Amino acid sequence: MWKDRFSASVRPLLAEDEWLVAEEGYHPREQIVYESIFGLASGYMGSRASAEEGFCRRTLPANYVHGVFDRSEAFQRELANTPDWCKLKMYYQCEPIAPEEGSEPEDYIRVLDMKHGLVAKHYITQADDGRRTQVEIVKYISRAHGWCGAFKVWLTPLNYGGLLEFENIIDATVTNFIDFPRFRVKHMRTKCVEAMDGGGCYVESETRDFKLPVGTAAGVRICNAQGKDILKSRMFRPYGETACEFVDAYCKEGETICIEKYAALCTGRDTKNDRVRSETEHRLRGFMQTGFDAELRAHIAEYARLWKRADLEITGDAPLQKAVRFNIFHLMSTPSQTDNRTNIGAKLIHGEEYGGHAFWDTELFLLPFFDYVFPEIARNLVDYRYLLLDKARENAKKNGYAGAKYPWESADTGDEECPQWTIEPDGSCYRCYVADYEHHVTAAVAYGGVHYYELTGDDDFFENHGMEILCETARFWVSRLEYSKEKDRYEIRKVTGPDEWHEPVDNNAYTNYLARWNIRKAAEYLEKYKEEKPEVYAAITGKLGITQSETDAWTAHADKIYLPDTSGVIEQFEGYFKLTDAVIDSWDENNMPLWPKALEHVPRQQRCILKQADVVMLMYLMEHEFSLETQRINFDYYEKRTLHRSSLSPSIHCLMGLRVGESRHAYEYLCRSAYVDITNNQRNTREGIHAASAGGTWQCVTLGYCGMTTTAEGELSFEPHLPEQWSRAAYHIRWRGADLAITVTHDGVRVEQESGGQPVVYWYGGKKRTAERKNEKERP
């Protein structure tokens, strides 16, 4: 067992191997990948797993705080890399103690404990003079106090003794894109680097654009195995933008000493700017007073509560079980549970790619997980879009449209953050048209809000926020339509669908269908409120200035939107069938499809090959618009022509494969989605964790293999497709205030109601059933 590789001090802190993701052996060039894989998040901040000991040659150290964005010289506002508190350099006679110092470390293992939300490391390093030192480290970012983090070092000189020296460091020199000189930007201006009364370091920085203050404080303790304080001396020195507190302690040969490092953060988003320092120091002192072990117990208890709601058990495929938990762990750890001013970045909060921006990924890939499992977080995510609705209105007006046009990439202000130009590492530039043409994000925002409401029944959100989003996005689409007098139809020209390798095109099927849905859904809900809640109808129409003639016009426009022939293969966009055609016939070692050789010399825009699901994505979302046979024909056609160069694509192909009976292909796509980061199968995990894969993987298992859906009347329904190798899948959801435990086997579906007043009904096997009651005290 992996936990048995650790000492008796660390072993009790670790879960069973089924909950551990391991790095066995030290691989210097792979550290930037493991920094993402072993990254930790608290809902307030995220910390990449850079070496606590320092002295690592290939590293991307980063600590991101939700909502702390800056632009400066960058192409866009991006999550700013805040001062790095996670460093404790260790020395003996001025020689560093670290994995990359001396000979190759022995018995090296590092594990991500997903059950307990911590990272543990063990190794023995040998210096050039033969000194051997055993090092063990446990790190966590507190779920109980999300603005705090800590790690503990168990240090054992195996064949020597003497004075050991340590540097408690807060490094404010950090930048974004440290390993890309052309793109490197320092977003934080350091205001002060000072000692704290009673020991510890304090650094205050501010973002360069909006001058948002960020306080970072860190302190250390050193004790022996009996818990006695053995810290010998303490001295603070600032080195430019780096705070350094020097401490030391004596250690005998074979004796283990413990060094605990604590850190706390506070920003101007949390309190008044002039109180940031006092609040930061207050948070640190409280954290240290409770102590490492007690705070760790509280942290583990919080993760137990999260896993009680979020765990998804699969019996029959142990590697996949671990990969699914890996995706859930990072996904549920990232968003704030209380802050509706923040969203979830496309690489979660584990890397700087895409700047921490929210995309359509949130609404279509991530939100379903939170809708079902953590609806209180889902409410924050849909509220985020409402809070930025005025900016979406500005965005529409700026581009010559009515209503609200949401940005392709969204940060904290609601402005469009997608750059107009892309600069390659070699310095070459090309025009980026994504924000100009990829307007389907606006329909995705509306879809996410409606889906949240229909799953949760949250009238407060929908009547006060959701309907405003829905109506204003409908107005955008009506203004986006162009009338063809010759063909007597409305068209959407110069647009890009989910497949970004063909831009711009006319009448992308996905976009046209979603635009029609958006317009019709707004008119439908307005009519519903007019009949059932006239006071709500009056409030919405009065606030937005909507008249009956306007909604009649919406319906008339929607009815005339051009939609392609659906009797066979649906043309992805006008002219697609005229492209040079070929099918994929080879795959790499990770089972990723390769370009057909027949198309190697054909320009990408003229090839039939897709980046990701487009028509297939449309059929997944708009299932009732197409016959099952049409869906089957189109899946077969486009699956052979999709390269899946987006992590958004495999999960949708899994879900659609299950729907049309392609179970073998579906399982391959499930694995491709589930393993994307835990095995780095796209070779870009160094940039962060693929959020859409994490959410899409959960959907594959629950909505796909377990067959969970809702009826037209809004009731739960199950039509399972369990793989032969699985004997069981089990998970929990929170359904309109009731906690449900769902178990799916080859013999059927069992739904147990663990809390909630009204009995929950569901459909299975063509029959309406009532969930069984279970003891409420077993639920959090």
Side-chain angles (χ1 to χ4, degrees):
M1 295 177 65
W2 285 326
K3 65 185 298 183
D4 291 337
R5 300 266 298 274
F6 291 83
S7 72
S9 298
V10 177
R11 202 178 306 131
L13 305 178
L14 300 178
E16 303 76 20
D17 278 11
E18 64 187 88
W19 288 91
L20 306 181
V21 177
E23 171 198 11
E24 295 189 275
Y26 189 77
H27 309 286
R29 295 191 64 82
E30 295 299 314
Q31 290 308 296
I32 53 178
V33 175
Y34 285 114
E35 286 176 3
S36 295
I37 292 173
F38 293 158
L40 298 174
S42 66
Y44 180 88
M45 63 181 175
S47 175
R48 283 175 62 85
S50 58
E52 295 84 0
E53 313 92 325
F55 302 105
C56 182
R57 291 168 180 81
R58 286 179 59 84
T59 182
L60 297 174
N63 192 81
Y64 304 110
V65 180
H66 274 307
V68 179
F69 288 90
D70 184 71
R71 178 165 184 165
S72 301
E73 300 87 11
F75 308 114
Q76 57 198 350
R77 287 181 65 74
E78 57 191 14
L79 273 180
N81 194 0
T82 63
D84 180 14
W85 58 267
C86 194
K87 291 291 175 289
L88 182 79
K89 292 185 177 181
M90 305 181 289
Y91 305 88
Y92 176 76
Q93 295 183 352
C94 301
E95 290 291 326
I97 301 171
E100 294 187 23
E101 297 295 320
S103 59
E104 182 178 345
E106 300 174 26
D107 198 28
Y108 180 94
I109 185 170
R110 179 166 53 161
V111 298
L112 169 66
D113 183 336
M114 299 180 290
K115 185 175 184 180
H116 296 155
L118 58 84
V119 173
K121 176 168 31 178
H122 165 95
Y123 63 91
I124 297 172
T125 182
Q126 180 166 308
D128 294 337
D129 63 2
R131 284 181 296 102
R132 290 165 56 79
T133 309
Q134 178 176 287
V135 179
E136 293 186 311
I137 303 175
V138 169
K139 171 187 173 183
Y140 62 95
I141 309 296
S142 174
R143 290 299 309 189
H145 304 100
W147 43 82
C148 293
F151 63 87
K152 186 172 184 176
V153 182
W154 289 261
L155 193 66
T156 310
L158 297 177
N159 60 354
Y160 68 99
L163 185 66
L164 294 169
E165 301 170 322
F166 308 92
E167 289 180 311
N168 169 25
I169 292 172
I170 302 175
D171 181 6
T173 69
V174 293
T175 68
N176 285 54
F177 292 99
I178 190 172
D179 61 339
F180 278 92
R182 191 181 302 276
F183 306 133
R184 189 179 302 151
V185 178
K186 190 176 191 305
H187 288 294
M188 306 298 296
R189 178 184 291 109
T190 304
K191 296 177 65 179
C192 75
V193 178
E194 297 176 358
M196 290 171 54
D197 293 340
C201 307
Y202 179 77
V203 171
E204 187 160 316
S205 309
E206 65 180 12
T207 58
R208 292 171 58 200
D209 284 352
F210 293 173
K211 294 181 169 44
L212 177 74
V214 177
T216 307
V220 294
R221 286 179 177 150
I222 305 178
C223 61
N224 60 20
Q226 290 73 44
K228 181 182 179 181
D229 185 351
I230 60 170
L231 192 150
K232 176 178 173 288
S233 63
R234 187 191 302 269
M235 176 178 63
F236 174 82
R237 284 181 180 172
Y239 297 101
E241 294 182 276
T242 300
C244 182
E245 182 184 42
F246 173 89
V247 294
D248 57 8
Y250 282 107
C251 187
K252 298 177 182 178
E253 179 178 334
E255 180 185 46
T256 297
I257 63 171
C258 299
I259 310 97
E260 298 171 349
K261 176 161 183 177
Y262 303 82
L265 280 77
C266 180
T267 80
R269 300 178 76 254
D270 309 338
T271 188
K272 293 180 179 179
N273 288 1
D274 61 0
R275 296 194 68 251
V276 165
R277 177 165 187 166
S278 61
E279 180 62 23
T280 306
E281 294 190 8
H282 173 73
R283 289 175 175 182
L284 178 67
R285 295 306 182 205
F287 196 52
M288 293 184 71
Q289 183 175 0
T290 305
F292 185 91
D293 295 340
E295 286 288 356
L296 178 56
R297 287 193 294 270
H299 167 78
I300 291 174
E302 282 297 305
Y303 262 106
R305 184 185 64 82
L306 292 175
W307 278 117
K308 184 72 172 177
R309 291 173 64 176
D311 194 16
L312 201 173
E313 299 176 70
I314 296 172
T315 305
D317 189 333
L320 182 69
Q321 167 73 91
K322 183 171 292 187
V324 167
R325 280 179 171 155
F326 175 86
N327 284 283
I328 293 173
F329 170 76
H330 285 301
L331 182 57
M332 74 176 181
S333 297
T334 296
S336 171
Q337 295 188 7
T338 58
D339 190 352
N340 62 6
R341 299 169 295 167
T342 64
N343 207 274
I344 304 176
K347 290 300 183 79
L348 296 180
I349 199 166
H350 296 64
E352 56 200 359
E353 186 71 6
Y354 302 120
H357 300 158
F359 289 72
W360 67 310
D361 308 28
T362 293
E363 280 72 25
L364 301 187
F365 291 85
L366 314 184
L367 197 54
F369 167 76
F370 293 104
D371 287 341
Y372 280 110
V373 182
F374 297 106
E376 67 277 17
I377 295 177
R379 172 66 189 259
N380 289 336
L381 297 175
V382 293
D383 273 347
Y384 165 87
R385 295 295 194 181
Y386 178 75
L387 293 175
L388 298 178
L389 178 58
D390 283 342
K391 275 293 184 178
R393 290 182 173 114
E394 288 181 24
N395 193 25
K397 186 176 181 180
K398 178 181 176 182
N399 287 274
Y401 304 116
K405 175 184 180 292
Y406 278 91
W408 179 245
E409 299 185 36
S410 182
D412 55 338
T413 65
D415 291 320
E416 177 60 76
E417 300 296 346
C418 183
Q420 292 187 332
W421 291 88
T422 297
I423 302 178
E424 294 295 309
D426 64 1
S428 61
C429 303
Y430 66 87
R431 181 73 164 83
C432 178
Y433 292 100
V434 172
D436 297 82
Y437 301 128
E438 207 152 350
H439 296 168
H440 63 84
V441 61
T442 295
V445 171
Y447 187 96
V450 170
H451 198 239
Y452 164 79
Y453 169 63
E454 292 180 346
L455 289 179
T456 64
D458 187 346
D459 288 321
D460 175 68
F461 164 76
F462 202 62
E463 293 173 8
N464 295 295
H465 297 166
M467 276 300 295
E468 196 170 340
I469 293 173
L470 186 60
C471 291
E472 290 290 59
T473 52
R475 278 174 161 167
F476 162 73
W477 285 116
V478 170
S479 70
R480 181 67 176 82
L481 299 173
E482 298 180 51
Y483 182 67
S484 170
K485 187 174 181 180
E486 176 187 355
K487 298 176 181 178
D488 188 27
R489 69 188 191 191
Y490 285 102
E491 301 179 334
I492 304 179
R493 301 170 189 154
K494 281 198 168 185
V495 71
T496 303
D499 168 30
E500 296 171 328
W501 284 351
H502 297 94
E503 61 174 8
V505 299
D506 292 340
N507 292 315
N508 168 257
Y510 176 93
T511 304
N512 285 22
Y513 266 99
L514 267 292
R516 187 181 72 161
W517 172 88
N518 196 160
I519 298 168
R520 284 182 168 178
K521 189 61 70 172
E524 172 190 319
Y525 267 109
L526 279 175
E527 187 63 27
K528 179 180 174 68
Y529 281 122
K530 184 179 181 180
E531 294 178 3
E532 299 177 7
K533 292 186 176 182
E535 72 284 359
V536 174
Y537 173 81
I540 295 168
T541 56
K543 181 177 183 180
L544 301 182
I546 296 173
T547 63
Q548 186 63 52
S549 61
E550 182 180 7
T551 56
D552 290 343
W554 291 357
T555 302
H557 280 70
D559 291 345
K560 279 185 173 288
I561 293 177
Y562 166 71
L563 301 176
D565 179 17
T566 60
S567 61
V569 176
I570 298 170
E571 190 172 28
Q572 182 174 305
F573 54 84
E574 284 193 304
Y576 174 81
F577 289 151
K578 297 178 182 178
L579 301 180
T580 304
D581 193 29
V583 297
I584 294 163
D585 56 9
S586 58
W587 293 260
D588 67 13
E589 69 277 6
N590 291 318
N591 198 31
M592 293 294 289
L594 301 172
W595 281 105
K597 292 183 179 179
L599 298 180
E600 285 181 352
H601 302 293
V602 179
R604 191 173 73 181
Q605 189 83 356
Q606 298 174 23
R607 303 170 180 172
C608 69
I609 300 299
L610 318 181
K611 176 185 177 183
Q612 65 197 81
D614 199 302
V615 170
V616 173
M617 182 79 188
L618 164 63
M619 293 187 301
Y620 173 64
L621 295 178
M622 304 277 113
E623 175 182 4
H624 301 297
E625 295 280 355
F626 310 100
S627 70
L628 185 59
E629 181 60 21
T630 296
Q631 295 181 58
R632 185 177 293 114
I633 290 170
N634 281 270
F635 179 85
D636 181 67
Y637 180 87
Y638 283 107
E639 193 270 340
K640 298 173 182 175
R641 292 165 174 81
T642 304
L643 273 188
H644 305 291
R645 289 303 183 264
S646 167
S647 61
L648 282 65
S649 193
S651 60
I652 299 303
H653 276 74
C654 169
L655 289 158
M656 281 302 301
L658 287 172
R659 186 184 294 171
V660 302
E662 289 284 350
S663 57
R664 181 182 64 82
H665 282 79
Y667 207 76
E668 291 174 359
Y669 284 119
L670 167 62
C671 292
R672 195 175 293 170
S673 180
Y675 291 117
V676 66
D677 289 311
I678 197 171
T679 64
N680 191 22
N681 69 19
Q682 289 195 351
R683 298 289 183 261
N684 60 358
T685 298
R686 53 163 281 162
E687 298 162 359
I689 299 297
H690 292 79
S693 281
T697 297
W698 183 88
Q699 290 189 58
C700 287
V701 178
T702 57
L703 310 186
Y705 286 102
C706 294
M708 182 172 67
T709 186
T710 55
T711 66
E713 293 73 29
E715 295 174 330
L716 276 175
S717 178
F718 296 88
E719 189 177 342
H721 311 274
L722 278 196
E724 290 183 6
Q725 61 267 46
W726 297 5
S727 60
R728 174 180 173 272
Y731 59 99
H732 292 85
I733 65 170
R734 182 158 287 175
W735 178 255
R736 299 178 183 175
D739 292 308
L740 304 181
I742 298 163
T743 304
V744 180
T745 67
H746 291 287
D747 296 325
V749 175
R750 184 180 184 186
V751 179
E752 296 175 281
Q753 185 169 345
E754 299 178 328
S755 73
Q758 294 297 318
V760 172
V761 297
Y762 67 97
W763 290 84
Y764 168 64
K767 295 181 180 180
K768 193 171 187 178
R769 305 163 188 263
T770 302
E772 303 174 35
R773 284 286 184 175
K774 192 175 181 181
N775 187 352
E776 284 191 30
K777 293 183 180 180
E778 296 180 21
R779 293 292 290 158

